[in-house]
Amino acid sequence: MLWLCLHFRELPVECFSGGGADAQPLFVSEAGRVIGANRPARRLGIRPGMLPTAARAISEAGLHRIRDPQRERRTLEHLATWALQFTPRVSLQPPEGLLLEVAGSLHYFQGLESLRQRISAGLEQRGHRAGTGIAPTPTAAWMLARAGDSTPVTTRAALADRLAPLPVHALPLEKRVRDALEGLGCECVDAVRSLPSDGATRRLGRPLLETLQRAHGERPDPRQNWQPPGQFEQLIDCPEAVADVAGLHPLIQQLLDTLCSHLRERDTAIMRLWFMLWHRDRDPTCLPVGVMSPTRDASHLKWLVERRFERLELTADVTAVTLRAGRFHAMQATSGAFDLLDRDDRPARDANWEALIETFDSRLGEERVCMITPMAEHRPERAWAYRRPARVDPSAPSPCTGARPAWLLERPLPLRSCQGRPQYHNAPLVLETGPERIETGWWDGLDVTRDYYHACTAEGRRVWIFRNRRGPRDWYLHGIFA
């Protein structure tokens, strides 16, 4: 095995940038002291150990954040999911490290150095920097990364010599143990290894000996593989409160890029996502966006989201934006056999139809976009229902066998009659076809017994009329043919 460790020393700061570029000075404090700053803040002279008030005096426009361990953990988990594109075995090394078992990936990525360069370039694009350590054991790789030693160790035989000069602070132990070792005059790992094991264990605890044994491959060092969650969620704080939709576009595009990268890494797609716009003094604004078929196309999603935001009016400033997506759908492989056997334009027509529905959804809202679906019911007023648009199978049998008009009246309109013949606008109707007898609904108390006819008006318009077969044998207009 060969382990590559990523040590994110600046994670307390990077977790607040949302993976974006360093555009504004930002520093993070804990227990009343600055513990980290981004590059613009460091260029101004803000350094760890300063008081936050002194840092704010240096940069009045700088952003000050309090350290957030939960946010750091979420960022580390996002990075672990991203790292799965390089190896299926990724382990968390909290609070600021990842371990990748890369022995099986070297051939695919053309060697160790090529793999390391691709990982570094990918992290840089996401706004992260990491030190690396490479060794046959995960603990040794973690120690090398903590010490800033990026030279690979590829064999266990070379471990002892490479770990010996590492400083004591590289040991993944409690700070009190490292301080005690330095108090005993041990400045490097080799000096710690020279201590009598029984005495060191009694004074400093068994974890010291076990850590050294795991690092040198003398003791099993199992690691739990990271399993990404079944949904995506990421939050970005707005550097300043945003009062208009245009100011949200950079954050939205950044979130969508991250989502689509996440989907590609897992070879999955989505059909629905939600944006949550957070405000200071009111409930968040939720904006759902849906597509007709699973996708991970960033440009397509950005276009739909822009249409969705076109009709949004902000009633309060936005302080943060969250993007949630799920559930994930497996990508379906496509075959060229369809094109060889069926040379029509059905795929293009399907794509155009889906794009049309998605455009309506984005501009009007999904609740206003629907289609009429036929139902297995003979009563005309109950033989259809509104449904979400979906592709209809033309080969599916129709629930009704007779011809039906495209327009049904909301309620049947009573017609005058003369000697039993129906009239429309005081002119007699000419019965063309019929009767079609409908006698049904006895089981739900809304039964009907009618004879339906196709008729023609004096102006040549074709209409659909019926006559009740029970009670008063009145005539009614129920529909008009196109």
Side-chain angles (χ1 to χ4, degrees), residues 87-104:
T87 172
R89 295 192 62 188
V90 177
S91 300
L92 300 182
Q93 181 68 46
E96 53 192 18
L98 292 178
L99 289 162
L100 288 67
E101 203 290 299
V102 297

Side-chain angles (χ1 to χ4, degrees), residues 143-161:
M143 290 172 60
L144 290 168
R146 285 167 59 93
D149 187 346
S150 60
T151 304
V153 184
T154 56
T155 64
R156 289 198 177 187
L159 268 178
D161 291 339

Side-chain angles (χ1 to χ4, degrees), residues 27 46 50-59:
F27 62 93
I46 297 176
M50 296 178 63
L51 292 173
T53 52
R56 283 195 292 268
I58 294 175
S59 175

Side-chain angles (χ1 to χ4, degrees), residues 160 163-168 171 181-182 184-197 200 204 208 212 216:
L163 295 179
L166 296 184
V168 168
L171 288 167
L181 288 171
E182 291 179 349
L184 293 173
C186 298
E187 297 182 354
C188 62
V189 172
D190 186 48
V192 178
R193 290 269 284 179
S194 300
L195 293 174
S197 59
L204 301 174
L208 171 61
L212 291 172
H216 290 82

